[in-house]
Amino acid sequence: MRLACDGKQRSGFGKGDSIAVEMTKSAANCNILSNLNFETHHGGEAGMIDNFDSKVKMYKPCHPRYTDYTPCQDQAHAMTFPRENMNYRERHCPPQEEKLHCLIPAPNGYVTPFPWPKSRDYVPYANAPYKSLTVEKAIQNWIQYEGNLFRFPGGGTQFPQGADRYIDQLASVIPIENGTVRTALDTGCGVASWGAYLWKRNVIAMSFAPRDSHEAQVQFALERGVPAVIGVLGTIKMPYPSRAFDMAHCSRCLIPWGANGGIYMKEVDRVLRPGGYWVLSGPPINWKTNFKAWQRPKEELQEEQRQIEETAKLLCWEKKSEKGEIAIWQKKMDANSCHAAQENLGATFCKSEGHDDVWYKKMEQCITPYNNANRDESSSGDLKPFPERLYAVPPRIASGSVSGVSVESYLEDNRQWKKHVSAYKKVNKIIDSGRYRNIMDMNAGLGGFAAALHSPKFWVMNVVPTIAETNTLGVIYERGLIGIYHDWCEAFSTYPRTYDLIHANGVFSLYNDKCNFEDILLEMDRILRPEGAVILRDEVDVLVKVKKMIRGMKWDSKLMDHEDGPLVPQKILVAVKQYWVGNSTSTQ
């Protein structure tokens, strides 16, 4: 195996893009691993164990029909589940015996996406060859097909004049510009133009939409370089901690907010910080003017708005604005000020523990209390504005709410990750170049990796494994970063080829004896772009095992010593996925 050092623009950023062509050439000239000592200094265990048994399992490409395979949101599988409350659009993963054991191929003609911010506006057609949205959403200015590119003008169903103008309207009510609002949730996001245009205002949005009739909307979002996952408000809690987001948003997202006793609004309330904002634009807001255009009976829309207003009152959200088709509520900062009123309205409160224990847990018809019982946890008012928030001590840690994590250990963790990331940048010299936009940390801990990397050129999806010893995702959000809960024994809620760089610290040690390393590695391969990079940090015996497996996966890899020298049992494995497309010999 050999890195692609021939200088050919196999994975171009599009013809005629001179900066991109140069970047592609530099990547092809092996700057990725240019200074790497290919023979690790620590030649003992690593070298000998690796060669002990030379038999390597070679993984074949899957059939090209699996090019856009999403194992836990497979269309055919989904149709076997009930339609009620969108259950069929939720995660339904294949049992072990039905998992694929092959490599998901890229489509013919696949190229590396453009660097940000050009990627926000242009996606190569070959990467997501679906034109249906250009027809369905033509008048809403979502997406246009031009030559061999899709162009995203920044429109949306509720903002045909562009997301920038729409965000300006929101900013007249919500303090978007001063760092108070940093993390946002976009429910039913379409192609995520709202999140795409918030980025330049230093707001990071976690966007989600189901895998449904609007083919590939989340795939388009990620191709554009915008954080997004496949998801739906159905019967299961969202995979985010309580009090995580500064703002939540629905722009004509078709979620029945007033139905089922307002359960979806209660779930948004769970993940919204005290003082956070909820934006609803589109039906039923301003139904008196629009019911004819929406082709819906005004009585139905009136009842829908009544239910929403009633639930907002129950949740103690204050309506800040209703202008045109945009309504904005703010969650009260102080829970005590509304407790009596809520009880008079017959509100039911959730049990005081386990608000962040959400993985595959059913949504509840109750209101999440602001703070855990018996904790003097700081309120969200103590959160610093961003970017100061990134390194300030998060309220959950300051109040001792995260077991086993003190202020001192948090500060030490930050120091360690600054050192680790500095070492990574010496190995992979193009981390800061703009070549990598979508980055994933598979075991994010306190978010130290993402904080040390922080740059406007990229974003990090911080994953906290559901089996992690400490639940730290709330801390990650308090730092102004985003993330999600996930169990790596299952497939992640994303399309293939959606991440440029994957970092995994201790993931294989964590999942040792929990599930097959093979399944985790094949999932990493599925979500990694051709010529994307991987950095694994783990114990040497685990990495030797992993290195042998990836020899059969069309990855080039090197095992390296810890930055503190060969005597540290923890090692680093760096790898680059080779470029190949779906016309190779396939299996399954």
Side-chain angles (χ1 to χ4, degrees):
M1 287 185 187
R2 170 174 90 81
L3 287 170
C5 303
D6 51 14
K8 290 177 187 168
Q9 195 194 343
R10 288 189 304 196
S11 58
F13 292 68
K15 289 172 186 170
D17 183 343
S18 56
I19 300 170
V21 170
E22 279 310 306
M23 209 177 290
T24 311
K25 280 182 188 162
S26 72
N29 288 337
C30 280
N31 276 4
I32 295 174
L33 299 170
S34 58
N35 276 11
L36 233 158
N37 181 340
F38 283 82
E39 295 303 321
T40 175
H41 300 302
H42 187 64
E45 306 106 304
M48 289 179 348
I49 298 171
D50 201 22
N51 296 324
F52 183 71
D53 179 3
S54 58
K55 198 175 171 194
V56 172
K57 178 178 177 179
M58 302 306 293
Y59 295 93
K60 292 180 180 173
C62 306
H63 189 278
R65 71 171 172 272
Y66 289 108
T67 291
D68 290 320
Y69 181 53
T70 52
C72 297
Q73 287 93 1
D74 179 56
Q75 292 286 62
H77 191 47
M79 300 319 266
T80 65
F81 289 88
R83 300 291 184 100
E84 193 183 356
N85 296 329
M86 295 295 278
N87 174 271
Y88 74 121
R89 293 291 182 208
E90 294 184 305
R91 284 176 60 85
H92 299 290
C93 301
Q96 186 63 34
E97 63 274 12
E98 289 176 24
K99 287 184 180 178
L100 297 182
H101 295 284
C102 50
L103 306 173
I104 301 292
N108 287 330
Y110 178 87
V111 294
T112 302
F114 298 106
W116 183 268
K118 186 172 178 178
S119 67
R120 185 191 70 185
D121 303 329
Y122 294 97
V123 165
Y125 172 74
N127 290 13
Y130 305 107
K131 290 187 190 171
S132 59
L133 281 179
T134 62
V135 179
E136 284 178 55
K137 299 291 180 182
I139 59 168
Q140 292 164 8
N141 212 14
W142 271 30
I143 179 172
Q144 293 159 6
Y145 179 62
E146 299 176 358
N148 61 351
L149 296 173
F150 287 113
R151 186 166 80 84
F152 295 83
T157 312
Q158 279 305 122
F159 34 96
Q161 294 171 317
D164 258 340
R165 201 133 147 218
Y166 174 78
I167 292 166
D168 285 339
Q169 287 176 277
L170 303 184
S172 68
V173 180
I174 300 169
I176 284 172
E177 304 290 346
N178 67 5
T180 305
V181 169
R182 163 65 180 173
T183 54
L185 178 69
D186 194 8
T187 54
C189 63
V191 293
S193 287
W194 187 69
Y197 281 82
L198 277 172
W199 182 261
K200 65 182 177 189
R201 303 181 196 229
N202 225 1
V203 175
I204 185 165
M206 168 71 81
S207 301
F208 72 77
R211 178 160 190 168
D212 62 7
S213 56
H214 293 157
E215 187 63 67
Q217 47 190 339
V218 165
Q219 189 175 18
F220 278 127
L222 287 154
E223 284 296 317
R224 296 174 75 186
V226 184
V229 292
I230 303 170
V232 69
L233 274 172
T235 66
I236 300 294
K237 291 181 180 182
M238 292 187 280
Y240 313 114
S242 55
R243 308 185 310 284
F245 296 98
D246 301 311
M247 169 167 61
H249 172 258
C250 156
S251 164
R252 205 163 186 162
C253 64
L254 305 179
I255 293 167
W257 293 112
N260 297 336
I263 195 166
Y264 297 140
M265 288 176 71
K266 288 170 183 170
E267 177 60 0
V268 167
D269 180 72
R270 181 184 69 79
V271 300
L272 200 60
R273 274 204 192 108
Y277 296 85
W278 186 55
V279 180
L280 176 60
S281 63
I285 305 303
N286 201 2
W287 57 268
K288 288 175 186 166
T289 309
N290 292 314
F291 74 94
K292 282 184 181 164
W294 292 335
Q295 299 179 322
R296 288 184 55 194
K298 58 181 177 182
E299 297 77 19
E300 186 184 287
L301 288 159
Q302 184 178 11
E303 175 58 16
E304 208 174 294
Q305 178 140 4
R306 188 196 66 75
Q307 289 175 341
I308 288 169
E309 301 280 4
E310 204 172 84
T311 305
K313 197 174 171 187
L314 187 70
L315 294 169
C316 207
W317 293 0
E318 183 186 346
K319 188 183 256 188
K320 290 292 188 184
S321 166
E322 183 172 325
K323 204 171 174 186
E325 290 180 29
I326 303 172
I328 300 171
W329 285 264
Q330 185 179 21
K331 182 174 176 174
K332 286 269 179 74
M333 281 295 298
D334 177 20
N336 298 329
S337 63
C338 8
H339 213 81
Q342 286 176 318
E343 284 183 338
N344 288 340
L345 290 166
T348 307
F349 291 91
C350 306
K351 289 199 281 294
S352 58
E353 293 298 326
H355 308 315
D356 298 347
D357 178 19
V358 296
W359 188 244
Y360 287 125
K361 296 288 194 301
K362 292 279 184 193
M363 274 186 213
E364 295 177 277
Q365 273 290 9
C366 54
I367 298 171
T368 307
Y370 275 39
N371 294 338
N372 290 347
N374 309 320
R375 300 278 193 199
D376 178 28
E377 191 168 312
S378 311
S379 76
S380 293
D382 293 340
L383 273 180
K384 302 278 190 268
F386 197 83
E388 200 184 334
R389 194 183 291 186
L390 190 61
Y391 277 108
V393 177
R396 278 169 165 92
I397 288 175
S399 64
S401 301
V402 185
S403 66
V405 182
S406 63
V407 171
E408 292 70 30
S409 61
Y410 166 75
L411 298 173
E412 176 57 28
D413 187 73
N414 286 334
R415 281 192 289 274
Q416 285 297 326
W417 279 108
K418 282 179 178 171
K419 188 173 81 171
H420 294 335
V421 166
S422 172
Y424 294 160
K425 287 179 179 178
K426 286 175 186 155
V427 173
N428 185 336
K429 292 187 172 353
I430 62 170
I431 285 179
D432 274 337
S433 71
R435 168 67 177 77
Y436 305 126
R437 169 70 184 168
N438 304 355
I439 297 177
M440 175 181 280
D441 191 358
M442 291 175 68
N443 185 17
L446 299 170
F449 169 77
L453 263 184
H454 182 69
S455 159
K457 291 176 186 170
F458 45 71
W459 56 272
V460 179
M461 179 67 77
N462 292 283
V463 181
V464 172
T466 53
I467 64 166
E469 198 177 324
T470 309
N471 185 341
T472 52
L473 194 52
V475 168
I476 286 165
Y477 275 94
E478 287 181 342
R479 300 186 75 167
L481 303 167
I482 58 164
I484 194 166
Y485 294 114
H486 184 63
D487 178 0
W488 286 112
C489 293
E490 298 179 359
F492 193 74
S493 291
T494 192
Y495 284 82
R497 302 170 302 283
T498 40
Y499 286 86
D500 304 294
L501 173 66
I502 298 176
H503 176 252
N505 173 44
V507 167
F508 291 93
S509 289
L510 181 66
Y511 279 93
N512 207 358
D513 304 326
K514 304 283 191 307
C515 47
N516 297 335
F517 283 10
E518 174 184 81
D519 290 335
I520 299 174
L521 285 165
L522 287 171
E523 176 59 6
M524 290 171 73
D525 183 78
R526 184 184 74 87
I527 66 180
L528 185 65
R529 295 192 195 282
E531 296 182 316
V534 172
I535 302 170
L536 307 180
R537 178 180 287 270
D538 220 314
E539 300 303 313
V540 64
D541 52 343
V542 170
L543 288 184
V544 166
K545 220 197 278 188
V546 167
K547 187 177 192 308
K548 183 179 170 189
M549 292 171 90
I550 64 179
R551 276 166 58 194
M553 285 175 57
K554 301 179 190 283
W555 291 12
D556 298 305
S557 70
K558 285 289 155 190
L559 190 58
M560 306 173 63
D561 284 319
H562 189 282
E563 59 268 19
D564 289 344
L567 299 180
V568 182
Q570 196 183 59
K571 303 294 169 195
I572 300 164
L573 182 65
V574 290
V576 179
K577 179 176 171 177
Q578 295 171 10
Y579 179 89
W580 62 278
V581 295
N583 57 4
S584 312
T585 311
S586 61
T587 182
Q588 292 191 338

